[in-house]
Amino acid sequence: FTGTPTLSNAYYTKIGNRVIAQVYLRVLYVSGTHADISITGFPFTSVAGSYTQNGSAIGYCDGYTGLTYSQMFSYIGGSSTSASLINGNYQGGVVNVSTSKIGGGSGAYWIATYVYQTSS
């Protein structure tokens, strides 16, 4: 994760060449330089090739400022062990979610389940 999560838990199950990973993050504050939010350290590298973006099912997200939650999503790209948090905008484009969007108070949450394919 870019920044320092206050609480984080992740669990995974691998069945054949499929990985199911459940991620829970809560961040109260990120100091210093702001960067795009990435979740790193998935246990296996995703398969390479065209159309290999592997999606997530978002269970809960909250605590981000200036974003439309109904347009939040995340995916693991091809040949990767990380996922980026993305927000669709009203003009039909997408932007990476930056740590500058983490609000105060009880922090920002990201709870999601990722399913992705590996080469073996």
Side-chain angles (χ1 to χ4, degrees):
F1 177 76
T2 53
T4 304
T6 304
L7 294 172
S8 65
N9 291 303
Y11 305 96
Y12 74 90
T13 299
K14 185 173 186 284
I15 302 170
N17 66 351
R18 295 283 178 193
V19 178
I20 303 161
Q22 296 173 296
V23 175
Y24 170 90
L25 296 173
R26 178 180 175 217
V27 179
L28 290 177
Y29 177 74
V30 176
S31 62
T33 304
H34 294 289
D36 293 342
I37 296 174
S38 294
I39 301 168
T40 59
F42 282 87
F44 300 94
T45 302
S46 63
V47 70
S50 299
Y51 306 105
T52 58
Q53 289 81 8
N54 300 275
S56 66
I58 301 167
Y60 181 72
C61 69
D62 192 22
Y64 301 90
T65 60
L67 301 176
T68 304
Y69 293 155
S70 64
Q71 296 175 342
M72 294 281 285
F73 64 96
S74 179
Y75 68 90
I76 301 170
S79 298
S80 183
T81 58
S82 65
S84 298
L85 271 60
I86 310 291
N87 188 247
N89 64 33
Y90 64 92
Q91 297 172 336
V94 296
V95 294
N96 288 346
V97 176
S98 169
T99 55
S100 65
K101 297 295 185 183
I102 295 174
S106 63
Y109 295 85
W110 183 260
I111 301 170
T113 299
Y114 294 81
V115 178
Y116 65 102
Q117 182 177 340
T118 65
S119 61
S120 59

